[in-house]
Amino acid sequence: ITVLEHTELLDIIEKDNRCFGGIVRKSDGEIEVIKAAHTVFATGGIGGLFSHSTNFNHLTGDALAISLKHGIALRDADYVQIHPTTLYTKEKNERSFLISESVRGEGAKLYGKNMKRFANELLPRDLLTQEIYKQMERDGSEFVWEDLRTIPEKEVREHFPNIVEHCREAGYDVFKECIPVVPAQHYFMGGVKIDYKGKTSMDCLYAV
């Protein structure tokens, strides 16, 4: 069994819908062909395809791209969930920090750049995300503002200590100012289609 760590899967070797291994780029840049009786995709995640994601940015949907190239069946690839409120940062290599919707459930408000509310903060994730994107377009901004000062300070400290601390580390005092938030890719429910044994539509190729 060859377990590939610190390598990039570039492609698979296949003929007549049967997989015979993979082509990888190793950490030193060397390209290597690895032949195998059975091959397993373990390359899930698409967070790196988005400007903002709560996932790691090295997850770039490689298995999906390879599957599309070779006609391997996918399932529910359009099932991508966007979380409406993550802390905005210009650092593209950082995972987006989630500002939980329970904060809005406790009374936090969302404002455009004119500091006026533009949506019902308790809308479902997809609908609120749409409203935030519309407001960002109207404002010509990369984020909107979320105001936690509408919640009693004691409640914020007791219920959301991690959010308070992370915002403080990022330079924001949630008790004195609004914080910038932006929608970010959060969950991906689709992927390479498999059967109950993990087999893809290609012989000798599995996915986990």
Side-chain angles (χ1 to χ4, degrees):
I1 297 176
T2 301
V3 178
L4 304 180
E5 295 184 20
H6 310 297
T7 62
E8 178 186 2
L9 179 64
L10 301 178
D11 206 347
I12 58 172
I13 309 165
E14 66 99 358
K15 184 178 181 181
D16 299 329
N17 200 47
R18 183 185 180 94
C19 183
F20 294 93
I23 303 169
V24 302
R25 179 188 290 119
K26 300 198 297 188
S27 57
D28 61 4
E30 181 185 350
I31 305 296
E32 182 175 350
V33 175
I34 299 175
K35 295 181 180 179
H38 295 89
T39 302
V40 180
F41 275 150
T43 56
I46 59 171
L49 301 177
F50 293 80
S51 299
H52 302 281
S53 175
T54 60
N55 304 162
F56 289 105
N57 70 348
H58 67 270
L59 304 175
T60 52
D62 296 0
L64 279 77
I66 292 170
S67 295
L68 287 170
K69 176 181 177 182
H70 293 278
I72 300 164
L74 301 181
R75 179 172 178 176
D76 300 330
D78 58 337
Y79 280 37
V80 180
Q81 187 184 86
I82 308 296
H83 195 286
T85 51
T86 66
L87 187 65
Y88 173 78
T89 174
K90 292 183 178 180
E91 298 297 326
K92 299 301 182 183
N93 292 329
E94 290 185 8
R95 294 174 67 189
S96 298
F97 181 80
L98 209 65
I99 305 298
S100 168
E101 53 207 343
S102 57
V103 174
R104 286 178 277 113
E106 295 290 347
K109 304 302 180 188
L110 293 173
Y111 309 134
K113 71 177 182 180
N114 60 4
M115 303 311 288
K116 293 183 179 179
R117 287 181 67 197
F118 58 87
N120 175 359
E121 290 83 2
L122 302 182
L123 286 171
R125 286 181 179 181
D126 58 332
L127 298 180
L128 184 57
T129 293
Q130 291 176 25
E131 293 302 315
I132 291 174
Y133 280 140
K134 289 177 186 176
Q135 188 63 40
M136 288 166 54
E137 186 174 356
R138 284 192 290 266
D139 291 344
S141 173
E142 295 184 346
F143 57 83
V144 296
W145 297 103
E146 185 163 9
D147 190 358
L148 278 67
R149 297 171 298 179
T150 55
I151 310 171
E153 181 173 333
K154 182 175 183 292
E155 190 174 324
V156 174
R157 291 190 185 280
E158 290 179 352
H159 292 187
F160 311 111
N162 292 337
I163 292 176
V164 171
E165 178 60 20
H166 187 91
C167 289
R168 186 192 66 77
E169 292 174 357
Y172 300 102
D173 185 341
V174 299
F175 303 110
K176 295 180 180 178
E177 59 190 333
C178 297
I179 58 174
V181 294
V182 64
Q185 184 268 333
H186 189 39
Y187 285 126
F188 179 48
M189 289 72 78
V192 180
K193 185 178 180 180
I194 58 172
D195 65 15
Y196 71 99
K197 292 183 178 179
K199 183 184 177 300
T200 70
S201 64
M202 178 173 285
D203 292 337
C204 301
L205 179 64
Y206 297 78
V208 297

